[in-house]
Amino acid sequence: MNLVSMAAAVTVVEPELKWVSLWLRSRWAAVLAVVLAALLVVLLPVLLVEEQCQAALQGWAFLRSKLGLGYMGIATYTGQTTELSVTSGGLELMVLKPKVSPEVRLEAKAALHQALEMKRQGKREKAQKLFLHALKMDPDYVDALTEFGLFSEEEKDIIQADYLYSKALTISPHNEKALVSRDRTLPLVEEIDQRYFSIIDSKVRKVLSIPKGNSALRRVMEESYYHHIYHTVAIEGNTLTLAEIRHIIETRYAVPGKSLEEQNEVIGMHAAMKYVNTTLVSRIGSVTLPDLLEIHRRVLGYVDPIEAGRFRTTQVFVGHHVPPHPRDVEKQMLEFVQWINSEDAMSLHPVEFAALAHYKLVYIHPFVDGNGRTSRLLMNLILMQAGYPPITIRKEQRAEYYNALEVANEGDVRPFIRLIAKCTETTLDMLLFATTEHSVGLPEAQDGSSTDCKQTISLKTRT
């Protein structure tokens, strides 16, 4: 081929090469656009990762709760006033539920309308059942909460009414009817709460007037030591009986045929209670982070010596509640200890202080296991440092106890404080009764279902 023919060929091919080049450039531009779009999809949500992870954790926690693996709610303590309140009149403390379907919401709305009609007709018993049904269908139904609160006020149940208004405001903070109603009930509830504290204080003074050498007092404290261990481990699911627990502590021999882990839980509680009594009770107004770690080291040391006395390094789930991320645990615990030793905390009523300390610690959930037992020991430590007897939350109160913790997670910690106050009063009543002329001692622990919720005191110095 000569130069002329080659030039002609190049002239013919050159436009084709230009089109090929243009096609290749377009194709690369399209590929680049796809890559950039993919990078945007990956990178843009980075700012929202924390929220997405939290949502995922809460979804998983909800699934666990449906399988019966937990107890607490998902909202945080909002720092509301902590005067006591408790529901009554057959209304259970309601916790936040998953979003209801439109059909269920319509049924709740219809039930509310029927309840208001029954109320108008004077059929108050039917109205109450319909209010409860509406809230069972949709626990977050603000109108139903507010209207049932008004109904409860008319029934002279101020505490229940205040609880309902508080819950409505947790869901809808600017609801005018709930705000006006809460302003009306809150002062009344605070007065009721303070009166209850005064009753407790008067009973404490009576108990303190009992001579320390009183044989009945010594006997009841001896018995109550074992009762406390029995109930505090039974709340967590331990199946050992009161007699078996006494045998383990007194002989240090295992009970044949029973779980060694459950028996080691008992030994751990015994060790932790001795530590609290002999080392910490006398140090009034001073609880340190090492103290809490030492309590936990004894509580869990015989079951899981690796995790005992150290903060968790993994994320845990407690029902609906997703505790703080492991990297935040130490910081929150330092803030918690600072609060415990603050003037603000120590200026609270001892029962309120102890209940809040219990709740705050179990909310942080700083340990892999043993959080509840450690929190209850801290609660009793605070009570004893203030001159109160330690209390026992009985296993028969387990559902009420966990339910009150859920409500506290929604933002209203007062029902939990009221539960602790009730346990305190029952303990005081038991002590006063046991030291009278006709004392019969503590009620025996029931290993089956029981309706007897009389309290026992919990700790005894043992050497």
Side-chain angles (χ1 to χ4, degrees):
M1 180 179 292
N2 58 31
L3 292 177
V4 175
S5 61
M6 288 179 64
V10 169
T11 303
V12 173
V13 173
E14 191 175 36
E16 295 180 3
L17 291 174
K18 288 182 178 179
W19 282 107
V20 170
S21 176
L22 181 61
W23 178 79
L24 288 173
R25 288 177 183 175
S26 301
R27 186 170 182 180
W28 277 112
V31 171
L32 183 60
V34 171
V35 171
L36 288 174
L39 288 173
L40 287 174
V41 169
V42 172
L43 295 176
L44 279 178
V46 167
L47 296 175
L48 302 175
V49 162
E50 195 70 30
E51 294 181 6
Q52 292 176 346
C53 290
Q54 186 76 356
L57 291 174
Q58 290 176 352
W60 172 240
F62 169 67
L63 176 60
R64 288 168 59 88
S65 71
K66 287 297 182 182
L67 297 174
L69 300 178
Y71 61 84
M72 294 175 71
I74 62 175
T76 61
Y77 170 62
T78 59
Q80 291 187 355
T81 57
T82 54
E83 291 76 12
L84 309 181
S85 72
V86 67
T87 60
S88 56
L91 176 69
E92 294 182 359
L93 297 177
M94 294 167 293
V95 297
L96 293 175
K97 302 296 181 182
K99 189 173 181 180
V100 297
S101 66
E103 294 79 9
V104 172
R105 186 170 286 109
L106 282 174
E107 182 178 348
K109 189 174 182 179
L112 175 60
H113 287 319
Q114 291 176 6
L116 293 173
E117 179 60 25
M118 292 297 103
K119 174 184 172 182
R120 187 186 66 81
Q121 296 179 16
K123 301 177 180 178
R124 302 190 69 83
E125 186 176 345
K126 289 184 177 180
Q128 181 173 358
K129 291 180 179 179
L130 287 165
F131 279 125
L132 290 170
H133 179 68
L135 290 171
K136 183 178 181 181
M137 292 296 100
D138 185 0
D140 297 344
Y141 190 4
V142 173
D143 289 345
L145 289 165
T146 305
E147 292 295 341
F148 193 23
L150 294 170
F151 178 89
S152 299
E153 273 195 85
E154 294 171 1
E155 294 290 310
K156 309 300 181 186
D157 195 341
I158 303 301
I159 291 177
Q160 176 169 288
D162 184 76
Y163 166 75
L164 291 163
Y165 299 143
S166 298
K167 182 170 173 63
L169 290 171
T170 299
I171 301 163
S172 178
H174 304 294
N175 185 280
E176 185 174 352
K177 184 180 286 190
L179 282 169
V180 171
S181 300
R182 181 85 197 291
D183 287 343
R184 185 173 59 250
T185 58
L186 182 58
L188 300 174
V189 170
E190 290 179 351
E191 183 181 347
I192 294 170
D193 297 338
Q194 293 306 315
R195 198 158 57 234
Y196 190 40
F197 277 146
S198 297
I199 292 171
I200 290 174
D201 290 340
S202 67
K203 292 182 178 181
V204 169
R205 288 191 290 271
K206 290 180 181 178
V207 169
L208 291 176
S209 68
I210 301 172
K212 291 185 179 180
N214 184 289
S215 60
L217 183 62
R218 288 202 309 269
R219 184 172 63 253
V220 76
M221 292 186 71
E222 172 91 23
E223 294 175 14
S224 67
Y225 185 84
Y226 301 103
H227 277 251
H228 176 76
I229 295 179
Y230 167 74
H231 286 289
T232 200
V233 298
I235 282 179
E236 309 292 340
N238 193 298
T239 62
L240 292 170
T241 66
L242 178 61
E244 289 168 341
I245 286 172
R246 292 186 74 114
H247 169 81
I248 292 166
I249 293 173
E250 291 175 351
T251 69
R252 306 288 285 193
Y253 283 105
V255 177
K258 287 289 187 172
S259 162
L260 287 178
E261 181 175 332
E262 289 188 341
Q263 297 185 61
N264 283 332
E265 287 177 356
V266 169
I267 296 172
M269 277 303 302
H270 175 53
M273 288 164 67
K274 287 202 302 181
Y275 174 70
V276 167
N277 274 324
T278 59
T279 307
L280 302 181
V281 171
S282 61
R283 283 169 37 193
I284 298 175
S286 174
V287 178
T288 67
L289 190 57
D291 292 336
L292 296 177
L293 293 174
E294 282 299 312
I295 292 173
H296 183 261
R297 188 173 69 82
R298 288 162 173 78
V299 166
L300 201 64
Y302 295 87
V303 176
D304 189 348
I306 295 177
E307 294 293 341
R310 74 181 190 120
F311 297 137
R312 58 181 167 85
T313 57
T314 58
Q315 182 64 56
V316 294
F317 306 90
V318 191
H320 296 100
H321 175 53
V322 181
H325 191 278
R327 67 170 175 267
D328 300 324
V329 167
E330 184 172 2
K331 176 178 178 291
Q332 293 203 20
M333 285 298 294
L334 288 171
E335 292 172 352
F336 171 62
V337 170
Q338 184 178 8
W339 173 80
I340 286 179
N341 296 296
S342 69
E343 290 185 9
D344 288 342
M346 288 187 283
S347 66
L348 297 170
H349 188 278
V351 173
E352 185 178 10
F353 179 20
L356 283 174
H358 177 311
Y359 169 67
K360 286 173 178 283
L361 181 57
V362 84
Y363 177 85
I364 298 171
H365 223 76
F367 309 114
V368 169
D369 192 15
N371 294 278
R373 282 163 281 167
T374 303
S375 297
R376 290 188 287 277
L377 282 170
L378 173 62
M379 173 184 70
N380 275 330
L381 170 60
I382 291 171
L383 286 173
M384 288 187 290
Q385 286 182 337
Y388 280 63
I391 67 172
T392 299
I393 302 171
R394 292 174 66 90
K395 73 168 188 175
E396 295 85 3
Q397 296 172 296
R398 184 179 189 271
E400 183 183 4
Y401 171 63
Y402 285 165
N403 204 320
L405 285 170
E406 289 194 56
V407 174
N409 284 340
E410 288 186 28
D412 190 356
V413 74
R414 297 170 307 155
F416 183 70
I417 298 172
R418 168 54 76 90
L419 172 63
I420 302 307
K422 182 174 69 174
C423 292
T424 303
E425 185 184 25
T426 310
T427 294
L428 294 167
D429 288 341
M430 180 274 301
L431 282 172
L432 293 171
F433 176 78
T435 52
T436 60
E437 183 179 354
H438 304 290
S439 170
V440 294
L442 291 176
E444 284 300 316
Q446 301 294 317
D447 297 320
S449 60
S450 172
T451 57
D452 182 6
C453 286
K454 282 193 174 291
Q455 281 301 313
T456 65
I457 60 173
S458 57
L459 303 180
K460 179 191 76 164
T461 302
R462 293 176 63 86
T463 57

